[in-house]
Amino acid sequence: MINFIIVHSKFESKEKISSRLSKYLTKIQFDNNVIEPEFIDEPASILKINTLTSKPLIILVATGGTEQMVADIIKDTSLPVFLIAPDQKNAVAASLEIYSCFKHKKNIILKYINNAEQLELELNTFVVVAKAIAKINSAVFATIGEPSDWLLTSKNFTEFGNFNTKIISIPTAELLQEVQSIEDKDITIDEFTSTVNNNCSNEIVTNESIIQSGKVYAALNSLKDKYNLSALTIRCFDLLDHKLTACMGLSLLNDNGTVAGCEGDLNATFSMMIASYITGNPCWMANPSSVSFDDNCITFAHCSTPLKMLVPKSIELNTHMESGLSVAVSGKFPKEEVTIFRTGNNFKSMLMAKGKIVTSNMGNANLCRTQAIIQIEGDLNDWLENSLGNHQVIVFGDITNKLKTFCRLSDMDLIEI
C-alpha cells in the first residue's frame, strides 16, 4: 500500500487544487495500492503524517511555498518517495529547492510533469517497485544448510546490503526430520502428485522417486509455514546422500508463490525475490553453461524450473543430472523476450541484460535437464567481463525500467548490458 500526500499553500483550497490538477489525479489509482490523498497546507498538519511515512509515499507538490513542509515529511524516511512537480503555481520551483537538499537520499525520485499519460506510466512503475521493496524489507529469508562450497559469492554473508530482510538458518537435519515424518500414503493423494501426474509426462522416473520427491516438497512447505518464510534457498546437494533432491519441490514452491532457490545461493535467490515481487510471476534460476560469440547467445540450464514457465504438454520428468537420482524437470520455454539479471557485491550491485529465447529443451545429456539458448541484445563480452557470479535469474518480459527504478530507490549500482 502506498500513501499519497498533496502539499499546498494556504492560498488555495483543496477543492480548487483537485479541480486544477484533475487530469493528473485521475491517473493516480485510489485502490488497494494507493490511498486517497491527504491534503497538507500548514506545518501543524505534519503531525498527522507520522503514520503515513511508515509506507512508501507519493507526494504531489501542488504549489510554491511548500518546501519546508515537504522537507519535514521526507527528512527521516528511508522508504521510496515519488515527488510530483506539475508545471503550475511554482510547483517546479519548489520541487527543485526540495530535491537539491534531498537528492543524496537515493530513495527519492522527482518527476516534472506536463503529460498525464507519462505520469501514469512513471507512477505505475514506482508503485510496483515500491511495493516490491516494502515486501522485500519485511520478508523472512531462510537458508537450509550453508551455501554450497562452490558458491564463493554467497560466503561470509552478513546482511542483505541496504535491505532489512530477515535471514534465518535452518539445519538440513531439520528438513530431513520433516521428510522422515511424512508417510507415503500422504503423498500419493496430495496436490504434489496430482500436479506432477497431470502436467508432466514420465518414462524415466520411478513412482517411489516421485513419492520421495513429494515428501521433500511437503517438508519444505512445512518449514515455510513454521517459520513464516517468504523465500528460502537450500544446500540441495546434501540431500543426495539420502537419494533425494529438491528440484521438483523448488519448482512447485516457485509456482505457488514462495521464492525458492537452489544450492544455498543467496544472491540468486534474493534476485528471484526481486523478479517475483516485481512481476507477480515465477522466475528461473539457471547456470550459464556455454556462450556463442558468433550469434551472441548464452546457453542456460538447471534441473529445477517453475512448471508455469514451461510450455504445457512439453514437460517431462527426469532424474537429477549430476547424480541420476530422484526427480528433476525438463521442458520447452516459449520463444519470448526475457530479462536476465542478478545481484552481487554484497547485494549492492546488479547486472542486467535483455534477450530472447531462441530455442530450448535441446536434450543435451551433459547439461542440467531444463535447457534454453538466449540471444542477448548487448555485448556478450561486456556481460562476461561484468559478471557478478554464476547463477542468473531469468524472467519473461522486458522489466529493465522497473529494475532501473528498483536500483535507484535501493541505492544499488546497476550495470546494464
Side-chain angles (χ1 to χ4, degrees):
M1 193 175 292
I2 313 289
N3 284 319
F4 180 29
I5 302 172
I6 297 175
V7 186
H8 61 101
S9 74
K10 286 187 174 183
F11 301 110
E12 191 173 19
S13 68
K14 68 179 184 180
E15 290 76 19
K16 286 186 177 180
I17 290 170
S18 296
S19 175
R20 174 168 62 84
L21 298 175
S22 61
K23 68 177 180 179
Y24 301 128
L25 295 178
T26 56
K27 299 299 182 182
I28 304 174
Q29 301 299 311
F30 306 131
D31 52 23
N32 291 332
N33 291 327
V34 180
I35 299 174
E36 291 201 28
E38 183 82 30
F39 286 79
I40 300 295
D41 65 354
E42 59 180 350
S45 302
I46 301 299
L47 294 175
K48 58 185 171 185
I49 296 301
N50 290 337
T51 57
L52 297 181
T53 53
S54 63
K55 295 180 175 66
L57 280 172
I58 297 170
I59 302 176
L60 193 154
V61 182
T63 70
T66 54
E67 292 86 343
Q68 188 58 56
M69 288 186 287
V70 175
D72 289 341
I73 294 169
I74 66 177
K75 64 183 179 181
D76 293 324
T77 184
S78 59
L79 295 171
V81 177
F82 189 96
L83 286 178
I84 302 172
D87 57 350
Q88 303 172 20
K89 297 280 186 176
N90 285 326
V92 170
S95 298
L96 277 172
E97 185 73 12
I98 297 161
Y99 191 59
S100 67
C101 292
F102 289 96
K103 62 184 177 183
H104 66 283
K105 288 170 63 89
K106 301 298 184 180
N107 60 310
I108 297 172
I109 290 176
L110 172 61
K111 294 295 178 183
Y112 307 100
I113 58 166
N114 54 21
N115 181 291
E117 284 66 36
Q118 184 62 32
L119 172 64
E120 184 175 29
L121 290 173
E122 299 275 4
L123 272 174
N124 284 342
T125 296
F126 174 81
V127 168
V128 167
V129 171
K131 286 177 62 182
I133 291 172
K135 195 171 180 179
I136 287 169
N137 280 328
S138 63
V140 180
F141 184 116
T143 59
I144 301 176
E146 296 296 316
S148 295
D149 295 340
W150 51 86
L151 294 177
L152 304 182
T153 56
S154 288
K155 293 186 181 298
N156 303 315
F157 171 85
T158 55
E159 60 183 4
F160 287 109
N162 300 319
F163 301 93
N164 297 322
T165 308
K166 179 181 178 181
I167 188 164
I168 62 173
S169 296
I170 300 173
T172 304
E174 185 172 348
L175 173 67
L176 291 170
Q177 287 173 359
E178 290 281 351
V179 171
Q180 292 162 6
S181 71
I182 300 168
E183 297 186 17
D184 288 8
K185 64 181 178 65
D186 296 326
I187 297 302
T188 58
I189 60 173
D190 79 348
E191 55 95 14
F192 177 87
T193 48
S194 64
T195 298
V196 169
N197 292 331
N198 290 336
N199 293 281
C200 308
S201 62
N202 176 27
E203 296 181 358
I204 298 173
V205 175
T206 66
N207 188 58
E208 174 62 20
S209 292
I210 293 173
I211 291 172
Q212 295 305 313
S213 182
K215 289 182 179 181
V216 175
Y217 172 65
L220 289 169
N221 259 319
S222 178
L223 294 178
K224 179 201 74 173
D225 294 339
K226 179 180 179 180
Y227 293 104
N228 193 29
L229 302 179
S230 308
L232 61 89
T233 182
I234 176 173
R235 186 181 169 102
C236 40
F237 276 72
D238 283 1
L239 300 183
L240 296 178
D241 292 338
H242 305 272
K243 300 192 182 316
L244 300 171
T245 68
C247 303
M248 184 58 79
L250 297 178
S251 296
L252 295 190
L253 281 171
N254 282 300
D255 273 340
N256 295 330
T258 299
V259 174
C262 312
E263 302 172 41
D265 192 323
L266 293 164
N267 274 289
T269 307
F270 190 82
S271 302
M272 292 172 73
M273 288 177 66
I274 297 171
S276 179
Y277 295 166
I278 282 178
T279 66
N281 295 313
C283 53
W284 183 35
M285 169 184 168
N287 295 323
S289 300
S290 66
V291 296
S292 172
F293 293 99
D294 291 338
D295 49 16
N296 218 49
C297 285
I298 308 168
T299 298
F300 290 96
H302 229 217
C303 284
S304 178
T305 311
L307 303 188
K308 289 181 179 178
M309 294 185 72
L310 299 172
V311 175
K313 298 184 179 179
S314 77
I315 306 170
E316 298 178 342
L317 299 186
N318 206 326
T319 56
H320 176 249
M321 188 273 286
E322 287 92 340
S323 65
L325 296 172
S326 193
V327 184
V329 62
S330 66
K332 290 183 180 179
F333 288 101
K335 293 181 178 180
E336 291 190 12
E337 186 177 29
V338 294
T339 305
I340 307 162
F341 77 101
R342 68 164 281 149
T343 64
N345 297 337
N346 296 318
F347 306 91
K348 293 180 180 177
S349 298
M350 180 185 291
L351 176 67
M352 173 182 72
K354 289 191 294 184
K356 184 176 181 180
I357 297 173
V358 294
T359 191
S360 61
N361 206 29
M362 297 87 72
N364 186 333
N366 296 313
L367 297 179
C368 293
R369 302 308 188 186
T370 307
Q371 304 165 12
I373 298 175
I374 299 177
Q375 186 175 58
I376 68 168
E377 292 185 11
D379 188 295
L380 184 52
N381 278 305
D382 285 348
W383 185 82
L384 291 166
E385 182 64 28
N386 287 284
S387 171
L388 295 176
N390 165 20
H391 292 125
Q392 303 294 308
V393 171
I394 299 161
V395 60
F396 289 137
D398 177 2
I399 65 166
T400 53
N401 283 336
K402 291 184 175 68
L403 291 177
K404 289 176 185 177
T405 301
F406 183 93
C407 289
R408 170 72 175 80
L409 292 171
S410 304
D411 195 15
M412 295 180 72
D413 296 324
L414 177 63
I415 308 165
E416 184 177 7
I417 303 302

